[in-house]
Amino acid sequence: MAQQKNKAGIAVAAWILIALVLLIVFLIKQDDILRTLKETGFFTHTIGKEPDFIEQYEPEENFAEANESEPGYNEVIIADSEQPVQETSPQLSEQKESVSNPQEENPPVAEEQQEINASTPPEAVQEPEPAAVPPSTTAKLYFVSIGNDGTVSRQESVRTLQKTDSPLTTAIMALLTGPNLEETGHGYMSLIPEGTRLLSAKVSNKTATLNFSEDFEFNRYGVEGYIGQLMQVVYTATAFPTVDNVQFLVEGQKKDYIGSEGVWIGSPLSQSSFK
């Protein structure tokens, strides 16, 4: 009998403990339980009607949901004194370093250049060869000068000319260009008509046959001019030891006279022709 009473007391205590636990849980989870009962319609399905305390229950808004509706939620606010940290790739970092220190590239180049120069033996460095100077020679050119009384005088000028295989041709062509600045400063002039060209030249038996263009037979200074131009050519040609006289041709033709005044050129002329 006593054992049955003890078992009954233990059972009652257990139920009381369970009731307390359920009460505590209900108080802690009251809002969740009431909201669940209302949302599922538990009493409506079991007894056909919800109690008043269920109908009057208004569930509180979830704190997280309420906060999500407020602007700025989940945003990280950085104080003004802090600067946002920016991540940079290794390539950008290398570019920044190269831009910030542009002068660091020059010293290695200079050092490399010094090493190259130092490794070059002195005998390997060759000085540039001077430009080749063409061989030259001298020739006597003859011009004229006119005195105050109108007399024509022969003037000799020694020129430095380029050395060629045809020294007579070189000298006559230089004569046709007229006096240079130094010679002009001494009062030298040429009576050979402007535009005269040497067409050909050859030497045979100490006679130089010189063929001139047609400009050679038109001299604006008259007889004195013709004599002067012939004298210039003869003295310049006979200054060479291989030439004693000159046979004149005009456009390849041998003529007896030159000019309207009739100055003789039908035979070779020498220096003695102008004494």
Side-chain angles (χ1 to χ4, degrees):
M1 212 45 204
Q3 291 179 350
Q4 292 180 351
K5 290 182 179 181
N6 290 333
K7 292 180 180 181
I10 293 172
V12 171
W15 281 108
I16 293 173
L17 180 60
I18 293 172
L20 290 174
V21 171
L22 293 176
L23 178 63
I24 294 172
V25 172
F26 178 80
L27 293 176
I28 295 174
K29 298 292 185 177
Q30 178 182 0
D31 186 70
D32 294 337
I33 295 172
L34 293 177
R35 182 171 64 252
T36 301
L37 293 174
K38 184 173 183 178
E39 290 177 354
T40 59
F42 174 77
F43 291 103
T44 303
H45 293 292
T46 56
I47 63 176
K49 181 180 179 183
E50 288 186 351
D52 294 337
F53 70 92
I54 295 297
E55 291 182 355
Q56 296 175 359
Y57 169 75
E58 293 293 338
E60 295 181 0
E61 294 182 356
N62 186 275
F63 175 77
E65 294 178 355
N67 287 338
E68 287 179 357
S69 62
E70 295 180 2
Y73 179 72
N74 289 335
E75 293 182 358
V76 178
I77 302 175
I78 301 176
D80 294 339
S81 60
E82 298 179 357
Q83 296 295 331
V85 178
Q86 297 181 356
E87 296 182 359
T88 57
S89 63
Q91 295 180 352
L92 294 179
S93 300
E94 293 176 1
Q95 293 179 359
K96 289 182 179 179
E97 291 177 1
S98 62
V99 172
S100 60
N101 298 314
Q103 297 180 352
E104 292 182 357
E105 299 179 358
N106 294 332
V109 175
E111 292 175 2
E112 181 181 354
Q113 185 66 31
Q114 292 175 0
E115 292 177 1
I116 293 174
N117 293 336
S119 63
T120 303
E123 57 272 12
V125 180
Q126 298 180 356
E127 296 183 358
E129 296 182 359
V133 178
S136 60
T137 185
T138 58
K140 293 179 180 179
L141 306 184
Y142 286 84
F143 299 99
V144 298
S145 62
I146 300 177
N148 294 331
D149 56 355
T151 57
V152 178
S153 302
R154 182 178 64 254
Q155 302 295 339
E156 177 185 294
S157 178
V158 179
R159 285 265 195 100
T160 299
L161 303 175
Q162 183 177 350
K163 189 175 183 179
T164 64
D165 295 334
S166 305
L168 176 60
T169 300
T170 302
I172 297 299
M173 292 181 67
L175 178 68
L176 296 180
T177 61
N180 57 25
L181 292 177
E182 181 181 358
E183 294 160 347
T184 303
H186 292 299
Y188 298 174
M189 63 178 295
S190 177
L191 293 176
I192 300 175
E194 294 183 4
T196 299
R197 294 177 293 110
L198 179 65
L199 303 180
S200 63
K202 68 177 182 177
V203 178
S204 178
N205 297 325
K206 291 197 172 185
T207 297
T209 301
L210 303 179
N211 181 22
F212 293 98
S213 63
E214 61 181 356
D215 301 285
F216 188 73
E217 59 180 339
F218 298 102
N219 196 303
R220 60 179 178 174
Y221 296 108
V223 176
E224 294 295 332
Y226 284 113
I227 294 174
Q229 74 183 61
L230 295 174
M231 179 188 63
Q232 286 182 239
V233 174
V234 169
Y235 270 82
T236 299
T238 57
F240 291 93
T242 56
V243 178
D244 287 341
N245 49 59
V246 177
Q247 176 63 64
F248 289 92
L249 301 179
V250 178
E251 295 291 342
Q253 301 295 321
K254 183 179 178 180
K255 295 187 176 183
D256 293 334
Y257 298 96
I258 186 174
S260 59
E261 289 81 358
V263 178
W264 176 259
I265 59 169
S267 61
L269 302 179
S270 62
Q271 293 185 6
S272 60
S273 304
F274 304 93
K275 300 298 184 181

